[in-house]
Amino acid sequence: MKQMKYLFMILMLSLIANCSSAQSTSGGEVIKLNKADFLVKVFNYEKQNEEWVYEGKKPCVIDFYADWCGPCKMIAPIMKELASTYKDEVIFYQIDVDVERELAVIFGASSIPMILFIPVKGTPQAAVGALPKATMEEQIKLMLGKKS
């Protein structure tokens, strides 16, 4: 009976440890953004509506997508792979244009997928369509100031 209690305690502790580590956000993920998070992490257009002021400390890539969009589904694994490759240098976000319509309108994301490459300093660059991985990686390197 004591062994059962011991086994149960060990099982519960490992379960708690696994749950808490799964909740932490490590690099290498594509993070879904809503408007509130966008205003804090990327650009507060309600406060700074005339001049672009990036709120982040690292460059970011934003994928404007929709669940029903075939080309969006095609680039999703590429975005995940790039997020893993550049996890220490670039933050990768996703914005669902059906949920966050205001953000889609503000950034002109009428054709999707639309990828926004945002350097820490400078002007964001947008690309529309299912870009190949090499093209996205080239743009990320430019954003980071690295030569291809």
Side-chain angles (χ1 to χ4, degrees):
M1 192 65 158
K2 275 187 176 183
Q3 287 178 343
M4 270 310 237
K5 284 183 182 179
Y6 238 175
L7 186 58
F8 181 74
M9 277 193 342
I10 290 171
L11 180 62
M12 291 304 289
L13 287 173
S14 68
L15 205 74
I16 291 168
N18 284 337
C19 287
S20 65
S21 68
Q23 290 176 351
S24 68
T25 56
S26 61
E29 299 174 17
V30 180
I31 303 162
K32 292 195 179 205
L33 275 184
N34 59 29
K35 178 186 172 187
D37 288 337
F38 183 89
L39 294 173
V40 171
K41 296 177 181 181
V42 181
F43 174 55
N44 190 338
Y45 56 85
E46 293 179 338
K47 181 176 77 174
Q48 296 280 343
N49 59 2
E50 291 185 29
E51 184 181 335
W52 173 264
V53 178
Y54 178 52
E55 303 290 342
K57 304 244 184 287
K58 292 181 185 177
C60 73
V61 175
I62 300 176
D63 174 19
F64 287 86
Y65 80 102
D67 289 333
W68 50 263
C69 168
C72 299
K73 291 177 185 179
M74 288 172 41
I75 68 164
I78 295 170
M79 291 290 289
K80 278 185 130 179
E81 190 177 330
L82 291 171
S84 179
T85 301
Y86 292 96
K87 66 183 175 197
D88 296 328
E89 301 171 277
V90 179
I91 301 168
F92 287 78
Y93 295 118
Q94 277 186 322
I95 296 175
D96 185 334
V97 297
D98 289 333
V99 175
E100 299 298 334
R101 292 176 190 228
E102 182 178 330
L103 292 173
V105 169
I106 286 172
F107 286 93
S110 56
S111 295
I112 53 173
M114 183 182 100
I115 312 294
L116 199 56
F117 298 91
I118 304 174
V120 173
K121 302 263 187 231
T123 307
Q125 301 296 316
V128 177
L131 301 175
K133 179 183 174 189
T135 304
M136 282 198 238
E137 201 156 22
E138 187 177 307
Q139 191 64 36
I140 290 167
K141 287 179 181 178
L142 283 171
M143 188 174 64
L144 292 171
K146 295 180 178 181
K147 295 188 182 200
S148 311

